[in-house]
Each structure stands twice: as C-alpha cells, then as structure tokens.
Amino acid sequence: MISHIKTISHFIPIIDTLKAYRFNIFKADLIAGITVGVVLIPQAIAYALLMGVPPIYGLYTCVIPLIVYALLGTSRQLSIGPVAITAILIMSGISQIAVPFSDSFINLVILTGLLIGILQVLMSIFKMGFLTNLISQPVISGFISAAALIIIVSQVKAAFGLTMPRYSQSYEVILHLVRHVKESNLYTLLIFLLACISMVILKRWKKSFPGALIVLVLGGLVTYGLNLDRKGVAVIGEVPTGLPSFVMPNFDYQTIISLLPTVFTVTLIGFIGSIGIAKSFEMKSRDHTVRANQELLALGISKVIGAFFLAVPSSGSYSRSAINNEQGAKTTIASLITVGLIIGSLLFLTPFFFFIPKSVLAAIIVVSVIGLIDIKGAAILLKVRRREFLIMLTTFLSTLLLSIEIGVLIGVLVSFIFMIYYSSRPHVAELVNIPETEYYRNHKRFPEASKHESYAILRFDNQLFFGNTVYFKEIVLNVLSQRQIKPKYFILDMTNMHDIDSTGLHVLYDIYHYLSSSDIQLLITGAIGPVRDFLKRSGFTDQLGRYHYFMTITEAVNFATHPTSQRTEKFAALQYNTQRSLMD
C-alpha cells in the first residue's frame, strides 16, 4: 500500500507537498500567488492579442493549465501561462494558413495547443527530454533575440495607431511606418510612450510592483474619461464574462499535417524555456528537485486538458517565475491561488476591460520582451568563443530575415556543422617532458622543453571515430616526419580518447603496421576501461602485446629509455590487470 502511495506521489508531486504543508507556508504562497496573478492578468490579455486571438483566451489559459501544472509539476517557482515567445511562434506559423482573430484561426491555435500537449506527453513517456539538448545556448539566444525584435516590430500598428496591411516580414512593417508615420494617432502614440516610461520607472523602483496592471487600469480610466475611443484610440472592446466551457477542437488529418512544423517548433522552444527557468530556480533554492520528464508530462497534460476548455498554448514565464520566487512562493499551491484571482476576474471584472487601449497592451509587450535581446551574451561570445558567436548571429539573422521556424532550423544545422567539423579536427598535442619533473605537456605551450630522440608522445583529445580517423592518421605521420632521427617508440596517450569505433580500430591497425614496418614500437598509455575492453575483444591487444600498455606516460617513457629492463609477460599481465582495476 505504501509503495502504491509513493508511486502515485511520484506522478502527482502535490501529494507530498500537502503532507508537509503548514500555515506559514500558505501565507508565503498566498502573497506570491496574488502578486503573480496581478501581473498575469494584463500579460495574458496582451499575449493573447499577440497570438492573434481575442483577449479572453489569454485569461482562459490561466485556469485549467495552471491547475494541472500545480498538481503535476515539480518546480515550486515556475509560473506558466501565455508568454511572448510562444505567442509569436503561434502567430507566425498559423497566420500562414488562417487569418488572425478569425474563428478558424482560433480553432487552429487551440488545436495546436492540444497537439503540443500530446507530443510532450509522448516525449515524457519515452523519456525523450534529452532531445532538448539538441538546441545549443547560442541558437536559443540568437532565436530569442530575433523573436523579441519581431515582437516589438509587430506592435508598431497598435503603438502608433496606424492602419496597415498584414506583412510577413518585419522590414516591411518598418518601411510602412517610415512612409506613413505622419498618419499616426497622436493620442495612441502618447498613451503608448507614457505607458512604457511608467512601467520602466516602476520596474526599476520595485521589480515585483504590478506596473503593467497600474498602466492598464489608468489607461482604461483615461480613455473612458476623455472619450479617447472616439478620437481614434483603439480599445479592446467587449470581453465575455464567465468561465471557459468544454469544447471539442475541430480537426482533420490535413489540418494536423499543416500544423506540425509549428507544433514541433513550439514544443522544443517552449520546453527548453520552461525547464531552463525551472532548473535555474532549483539551483537558487536548493530545496527541491526538478525532473525533466515529469515536467514534460505536467506541461503536456496541462495543454491537453486546457485545449478542451479554450486554452491556447502556454509555457513557463521567466519574469512571472522570478516574481513568484521573490515573493516567497514555497509550493505550487501559489499557482492555485493565482487561478483563484483569474477566476474572480473572469466572473466579475471583464466588463471593465472594454476601454483598455490596445496601445497600452503594446507597451506591456514591448517592455516585457525588450530585455530578451541578448546583447551582453553576444558580446561575451564574440570575445571568448567566436564560433558560437557566429552560430548565434546566423540564427539571429535567419530568424529575423526568413522566418522563426527556418531560423531555428538553420541555427541547429549550423551548430551541428560546427560540432562535426571540430570533432573531425580535435585538439592534438605532441607531449614533451617538463625538465626536472614527471609531467608531460603540449610542446607548443612549453617550447623550452626538448623532444627525446628515442620516443615521440602524442595525445589525441577526442574519441577516435570515422569522422576524424583521416586527421588522426595524418597527425601521426606528420609527427614522425618532423623528426630528423627516427624514434624507436611511439607513445599514444589515450587518456582523453573515450571511445573508438570500427573505423577508428581499422586506422589503429594501419598505424600499428606502419610503425612496425618502420621498426617503431607502439606503446599505449592511459586507456580507459571501455576502450581497453574494446581493443581486447577486437584482438588488437593480443597483437600489440600486453607489455605495450601502461598506466602512465612516465612508465611508458621509462620502458622506452631503458630497453635492457624489458618487462616479462608475467609482469606485464599483472600490471595490465592492475590498470584495469584502477582505471575502470
């Protein structure tokens, strides 16, 4: 019985939370939940419009998904709901097959959330959380920076009060703004600028202060009091009152196929963002463990169930999670308190949303995402890791100039190209003895150390596989060709060679035969257990001879420099077995 309870609590972590729940914990969760709810309401409305759906769907997304995550999630601080990056990904993908804000577009957005949820649940079942490692940090930074710019540009229409056609590229929006800036509605632009300035000032004063809610309320009151909606200031309009009802999303095979590119992109980007946020707060608090596959399950089920209650795709928000943490959230109960605030808004406050200016929502979006442009990270990469800067820059430009999905794909491909290139040409060092020590280091770093006539030492700092065997062979031949006097021994340091495939074994045989034909003995040092086992199974160990294996370079050098004290087979076998037990 106890084991069954443990199994249930493993999949429903809130059970363990409730066992140790106390009033002092509830007080902390209450404050955090209310604070996050106050911040979430204006963001949910703004990000719904950014996604291309009416504001009410943003609020619907803050009900069922938050409840499900609170029950199943393993992060105590992660706050999920509508986020800017997910919103722009959805808008970018689905706007190609339907018109934003239309009934068909809304249905496709909800269906996309259902498909993303199903995919995340399947990934959890098959323990596929590792797939998110395929996207490197420079790709994520480049993509998010470009997406942030795209989001900012997408708010030009609402910020300036312009009438403009729907453009597919950001530069087209900028060109339209330059040509028609004189047609801007000054009231709309003034509201946008004042809202931006106010939120920045309030945020600098106190990060957790609900500046977005304040400007939302003030913007609505000013618009209503001065009748600005009659002077060209666009407002939200009527927002339905009440909780979301159960609705079955409409779909067919062809529709699902057309949505798959968006589904895959949002699934990966959304989960990487969410798990990254959760892990960062785990490291800060050190009082709980975030389980990646359980997070996939929680996020997936929250989307699946939410889709039947009119929820659009949700994800983890760093800003709201940070507020949740700063306000002292101890458990996921804080999210349930946030849900209570959202339900109250849906039941009683939606009539007050009518006069909220869309330019205020544009300001909320712009202020929220402008910090996502990672200029500092790009500068650091340019200084310390230029190839990763190139990956980031390529992802940034391709996302900005082509499309979000293509940008991510190109970034991943460029990452793999760089990875394959550097794996095919790994770091190699010819080692020399540092005078009066037993240390052997790279000759290029210690040019004052001289090479020994009797032996050459090479360290290959990677696995030996089909992609770098040609390079490995060239390096070995090059090291030997540079010697004026042919050495009697070639010492291969395998300390950093963690694996060898069949092609690598074939080349190892080639080198062995080449050295033997040149009267040079091959000595191997530092081979780790799995590599030694492979060489033993392949027959290479027996052909080379156990007495040619050493634990350290020093032992190999002693063997090479004292040929009269060649080890017996019995001693060699003893040391080989000792080496196995010590280095496995």
Side-chain angles (χ1 to χ4, degrees):
M1 183 66 179
I2 295 175
S3 63
H4 287 305
I5 294 174
K6 288 183 177 179
T7 302
I8 294 172
S9 64
H10 182 78
F11 291 103
I12 308 178
I14 199 171
I15 293 175
D16 287 334
T17 297
L18 293 174
K19 289 178 182 178
Y21 208 63
R22 300 290 183 271
F23 182 70
N24 62 325
I25 299 177
F26 172 73
K27 286 195 299 183
D29 285 343
L30 179 65
I31 294 171
I34 292 174
T35 306
V36 171
V38 168
V39 173
L40 178 56
I41 291 171
Q43 286 190 350
I45 295 171
Y47 295 152
L49 290 175
L50 179 62
M51 195 178 290
V53 298
I56 191 65
Y57 290 93
L59 294 174
Y60 288 161
T61 308
C62 302
V63 181
I64 298 298
L66 268 70
I67 293 174
V68 175
Y69 183 81
L71 299 176
L72 304 179
T74 58
S75 173
R76 298 181 180 180
Q77 285 81 30
L78 183 66
S79 174
I80 71 167
V83 295
I85 297 299
T86 299
I88 197 65
L89 282 169
I90 295 293
M91 168 63 93
S92 174
I94 301 179
S95 62
Q96 298 177 26
I97 53 181
V99 178
F101 298 101
S102 66
D103 290 340
S104 60
F105 185 92
I106 295 169
N107 181 71
L108 289 175
V109 170
I110 294 173
L111 176 59
T112 300
L114 175 62
L115 296 175
I116 293 169
I118 292 172
L119 181 58
Q120 288 183 331
V121 170
L122 290 174
M123 289 175 67
S124 173
I125 292 172
F126 292 104
K127 311 294 183 184
M128 297 175 66
F130 71 91
L131 287 177
T132 56
N133 297 329
L134 296 177
I135 303 182
S136 65
Q137 188 59 45
V139 172
I140 295 173
S141 296
F143 155 74
I144 290 178
S145 297
L149 277 179
I150 293 172
I151 291 169
I152 291 170
V153 172
S154 72
Q155 299 308 301
V156 164
K157 178 180 177 180
F160 286 80
L162 291 171
T163 301
M164 67 171 65
R166 190 165 61 89
Y167 294 113
S168 59
Q169 297 293 341
S170 297
Y171 72 87
E172 295 175 313
V173 177
I174 299 299
L175 289 176
H176 184 97
L177 174 63
V178 172
R179 293 168 183 165
H180 301 275
V181 67
K182 293 181 180 180
E183 301 171 14
S184 302
N185 183 288
L186 294 180
Y187 293 109
T188 299
L189 182 58
L190 184 61
I191 291 172
F192 171 78
L193 293 175
L194 288 175
C196 286
I197 294 169
S198 300
M199 283 187 288
V200 169
I201 292 173
L202 291 172
K203 191 174 183 180
R204 289 187 176 181
W205 172 59
K206 190 175 183 181
K207 287 185 178 180
S208 60
F209 189 80
L213 185 65
I214 297 299
V215 298
L216 199 74
V217 172
L218 291 177
L221 290 175
V222 170
T223 302
Y224 173 75
L226 299 179
N227 295 317
L228 295 181
D229 56 315
R230 299 178 185 178
K231 299 178 182 179
V233 175
V235 296
I236 289 179
E238 186 176 352
V239 178
T241 298
L243 300 177
S245 56
F246 180 88
V247 176
M248 180 71 71
N250 298 318
F251 62 90
D252 56 61
Y253 177 76
Q254 289 301 326
T255 301
I256 291 175
I257 295 299
S258 65
L259 291 175
L260 286 182
T262 302
V263 169
F264 286 129
T265 304
V266 177
T267 298
L268 283 176
I269 297 298
F271 178 64
I272 288 172
S274 297
I275 196 65
I277 295 166
K279 286 288 187 182
S280 67
F281 287 110
E282 174 196 16
M283 292 180 66
K284 289 180 181 179
S285 60
R286 299 183 184 276
D287 60 355
H288 66 287
T289 300
V290 173
R291 292 181 278 126
N293 285 306
Q294 179 67 21
E295 285 296 293
L296 268 173
L297 183 68
L299 293 169
I301 293 179
S302 70
K303 291 181 182 67
V304 171
I305 299 177
F308 292 99
F309 292 90
L310 302 176
V312 296
S314 57
S315 190
S317 164
Y318 187 83
S319 60
R320 294 195 299 270
S321 298
I323 291 171
N324 206 24
N325 181 64
E326 289 170 5
Q327 295 301 308
K330 301 298 182 183
T331 71
T332 55
I333 299 293
S335 291
L336 296 180
I337 294 167
T338 298
V339 172
L341 198 63
I342 300 298
I343 290 175
S345 300
L346 286 168
L347 293 176
F348 306 110
L349 299 180
T350 53
F352 298 98
F353 296 157
F354 187 97
F355 288 99
I356 294 175
K358 290 185 177 179
S359 57
V360 169
L361 298 177
I364 292 172
I365 292 171
V366 169
V367 172
S368 298
V369 304
I370 197 166
L372 297 177
I373 303 174
D374 194 8
I375 298 175
K376 182 179 179 181
I380 292 173
L381 287 179
L382 180 61
K383 181 180 179 180
V384 303
R385 201 73 170 177
R386 291 194 176 183
R387 67 172 179 258
E388 294 194 39
F389 171 77
L390 290 175
I391 293 172
M392 181 179 178
L393 182 62
T394 301
T395 306
F396 175 82
L397 292 176
S398 55
T399 301
L400 200 61
L401 301 177
L402 299 174
S403 73
I404 291 177
E405 294 86 353
I406 293 176
V408 173
L409 179 61
I410 290 176
V412 172
L413 289 176
V414 171
S415 294
F416 273 96
I417 289 171
F418 272 96
M419 182 184 72
I420 292 170
Y421 174 78
Y422 285 101
S423 293
S424 68
R425 301 179 66 84
H427 181 263
V428 182
E430 184 178 3
L431 306 181
V432 291
N433 177 242
I434 299 177
E436 300 181 3
T437 73
E438 291 188 353
Y439 296 112
Y440 293 83
R441 295 293 183 266
N442 191 343
H443 182 255
K444 292 181 179 179
R445 296 182 181 273
F446 296 90
E448 70 279 3
S450 58
K451 300 177 183 179
H452 200 281
E453 294 181 354
S454 299
Y455 58 82
I457 309 173
L458 184 72
R459 190 187 71 223
F460 193 73
D461 294 333
N462 202 351
Q463 60 176 322
L464 186 60
F465 75 114
F466 66 91
N468 59 27
T469 51
V470 173
Y471 180 69
F472 174 67
K473 192 172 183 177
E474 289 176 352
I475 290 294
V476 172
L477 298 178
N478 185 51
V479 167
L480 294 173
S481 66
Q482 290 179 353
R483 294 296 186 97
Q484 295 181 351
I485 301 175
K486 181 179 67 176
K488 295 181 180 180
Y489 298 91
F490 183 84
I491 302 172
L492 178 60
D493 181 15
M494 286 189 172
T495 304
N496 297 331
M497 193 180 290
H498 59 272
D499 193 22
I500 301 177
D501 69 2
S502 58
T503 309
L505 177 65
H506 181 76
V507 169
L508 208 55
Y509 267 111
D510 286 348
I511 290 172
Y512 167 70
H513 291 307
Y514 170 79
L515 294 174
S516 297
S517 65
S518 303
D519 294 326
I520 301 174
Q521 293 190 48
L522 174 62
L523 307 180
I524 291 177
T525 71
I528 63 174
V531 171
R532 292 197 313 278
D533 292 342
F534 174 72
L535 295 178
K536 175 64 177 176
R537 291 194 305 270
S538 68
F540 185 83
T541 297
D542 294 332
Q543 184 164 350
L544 180 63
R546 289 187 175 184
Y547 56 89
H548 282 184
Y549 284 85
F550 300 86
M551 291 183 65
T552 66
I553 296 176
T554 301
E555 290 180 357
V557 168
N558 289 338
F559 177 80
T561 53
H562 299 86
T564 56
S565 61
Q566 300 287 347
R567 299 179 299 176
T568 64
E569 277 290 333
K570 183 177 180 180
F571 179 78
L574 177 63
Q575 188 185 25
Y576 181 82
N577 291 327
T578 303
Q579 181 185 7
R580 291 191 63 174
S581 63
L582 290 176
M583 298 186 66
D584 275 342

